[in-house]
Amino acid sequence: MHIPDGRQSETILRTPTADDGPSVHQLISRCPPLDENSVYCNLLQCTHWASTCVIAETADEADESGKKTPGGFISGYLLPEDANTLFIWQVAVDRTMRGKGLAGKMLRAILARDACRTVSHLQTTINPSNQASWKLFEKLAQDLGADMQRRTLFDASQFSDDHEEEVLLTIGPFDPSCLRD
């Protein structure tokens, strides 16, 4: 999927590959307050869950070796016990790409894929203070005409560090076919 971003180049949304694992790890490290996982975890996301993850890149953004660097990444997976529910793990957008609606476009791109054709619910966890994520998912629920339910999934006391609680947000039911071209 190509998205004009108001600059010379377009933003390309694509399925990640194993080659993307290290650059995804670097992107997430530049996007506090996201929790950093291991490169190994990011490699698994980019391979085992590739059909429910997305990379956003622009043709003019590349590292010193010439490899394109991602401006955004969303990791997600279908719940093992409920293939009708897509769980979104992390939404990372580089600060240079923020304010352009990229996260919403990436979410819609995942939901429009064949891998999500039976998805009728989306779940994610959000810290209470993460207003950008709340706005993103509230807008998605509104666009899908779907209800939202919230409940604490993990209390702050369950974390070993100074971590806020994780609130489980469930959006649905909705018809994912409304997102397909």
Side-chain angles (χ1 to χ4, degrees):
M1 175 183 282
H2 298 279
I3 302 170
D5 68 1
R7 299 183 306 184
Q8 291 290 74
S9 66
E10 292 182 2
T11 300
I12 299 163
L13 302 182
R14 64 173 178 79
T15 303
T17 67
D19 289 341
D20 295 309
S23 60
V24 164
H25 187 264
Q26 291 170 356
L27 170 66
I28 291 170
S29 72
R30 295 191 313 267
C31 295
L34 292 181
D35 292 329
E36 285 184 55
N37 300 297
S38 66
V39 173
Y40 178 67
C41 175
N42 298 132
L43 287 164
L44 289 173
Q45 291 169 324
C46 291
T47 56
H48 288 189
W49 303 336
S51 65
T52 53
C53 296
V54 66
I55 290 267
E57 60 187 20
T58 57
D60 61 347
E61 297 290 331
D63 64 16
E64 54 280 348
S65 69
K67 183 176 176 1
K68 293 179 184 173
T69 58
F73 176 73
I74 294 181
S75 59
Y77 57 89
L78 298 175
L79 291 182
E81 68 279 357
D82 180 5
N84 295 325
T85 300
L86 174 68
F87 184 86
I88 297 297
W89 184 344
Q90 287 184 314
V91 176
V93 177
D94 189 86
R95 61 182 161 72
T96 63
M97 300 291 287
R98 292 180 190 159
K100 301 175 184 182
L102 180 60
K105 292 170 188 169
M106 290 190 298
L107 281 172
R108 286 168 184 76
I110 293 170
L111 286 168
R113 290 183 182 164
D114 284 343
C116 293
R117 69 184 170 283
T118 64
V119 168
S120 59
H121 291 78
L122 181 143
Q123 289 186 334
T124 193
T125 60
I126 307 174
N127 301 136
S129 66
N130 190 338
Q131 293 305 306
S133 286
W134 285 112
K135 288 178 185 176
L136 169 67
F137 287 99
E138 287 167 356
K139 179 165 181 10
L140 179 66
Q142 181 181 11
D143 291 350
L144 292 170
D147 293 332
M148 293 187 344
Q149 297 85 40
R150 302 172 192 206
R151 70 175 175 85
T152 299
L153 183 63
F154 301 116
D155 187 84
S157 66
Q158 293 176 279
F159 294 95
S160 61
D161 56 1
D162 187 26
H163 196 292
E164 285 184 88
E165 71 179 335
E166 291 283 349
V167 177
L168 179 68
L169 174 65
T170 302
I171 298 173
F174 57 85
D175 179 1
S177 68
C178 70
L179 297 170
R180 292 193 181 87
D181 294 334

